[in-house]
Amino acid sequence: MSSCTREGYRLPLRVYMEDTDAGGIVYYVNYLKFMERARSEWLRQLGLNQQTLLDEGTQLVVYRLACHYAKPAYLDDALEISAHVTNVGRCRMTFEQQVWRNEELLCSATVEIACLSTERLRPKAWPASLKVLTQAS
C-alpha cells in the first residue's frame, strides 16, 4: 500500500518482464520511469494529476537529474520507490528519490523538476493549485 505524508511518498512496485533485459535484470532507464510514477502518484495522492495541470497550462518537466545505481533489481522483485521534496523555488522543485528492495537501497537520485507554461514552454511560477502542495511538503 502506498503512503503520502508531509515527509514524502512511497510507491510499492513489482518488477515485470517488460522492465528487464534478457537476463532478468532491470534495465537502467526503467528506474527513472519508476521514479516518475512515484512523483505522479505523489501528486495524485495530494489531489492533483498531470492532466489537470496540463489543462491549467502547466507542465512539469525534469530539468536536472543525478542518479546513482548501487545494486540491480531483478524480475519479480517487490520494490518501493520513495519521493521526498527537499527544496522548492519559484519555478523549480527538487526531489530526493530512492528505489528499495526490502531494506536494500538499489538506486538513488536527485531530480529537479521545472514548472513550465504549456503555451510558451518557458519557466513559470507555481500555479495556485501547486503552491499549497509545495508549502505542505
Side-chain angles (χ1 to χ4, degrees):
M1 172 184 253
S2 61
S3 62
C4 184
T5 66
R6 292 176 70 104
E7 290 77 39
Y9 180 79
R10 298 177 81 81
L11 175 71
L13 187 137
R14 175 76 59 190
V15 175
Y16 294 101
M17 183 63 81
E18 67 189 31
D19 302 317
T20 67
D21 60 17
I25 297 172
V26 171
Y27 184 61
Y28 78 96
V29 77
N30 287 333
Y31 292 94
L32 304 180
K33 292 179 181 183
F34 299 162
M35 291 178 192
E36 175 74 29
R37 289 180 200 165
R39 292 191 308 274
S40 293
E41 290 302 321
W42 169 79
L43 274 175
R44 190 177 313 281
Q45 290 290 316
L46 293 170
L48 284 174
N49 62 56
Q50 299 285 355
Q51 188 60 55
T52 301
L53 292 174
L54 288 170
D55 292 345
E56 295 175 356
T58 299
Q59 185 172 1
L60 303 181
V61 299
V62 173
Y63 172 74
R64 184 176 300 154
L65 171 81
C67 191
H68 173 73
Y69 300 96
K71 296 181 179 182
Y74 301 97
L75 179 63
D76 266 349
D77 278 354
L79 305 178
E80 191 169 68
I81 319 309
S82 67
H84 173 72
V85 176
T86 58
N87 188 43
V88 178
R90 189 178 86 70
C91 60
R92 291 192 203 150
M93 183 184 313
T94 305
F95 285 86
E96 291 298 327
Q97 294 198 253
Q98 299 174 328
V99 177
W100 295 87
R101 178 180 50 228
N102 299 317
E103 300 298 317
E104 194 174 22
L105 178 63
L106 305 181
C107 181
S108 59
T110 301
V111 184
E112 193 171 347
I113 303 299
C115 182
L116 301 181
S117 160
T118 56
E119 185 179 305
R120 297 180 48 223
L121 294 179
R122 303 282 301 156
K124 72 178 236 179
W126 299 109
S129 58
L130 272 175
K131 281 185 182 176
V132 173
L133 300 179
T134 58
Q135 292 166 355
S137 297

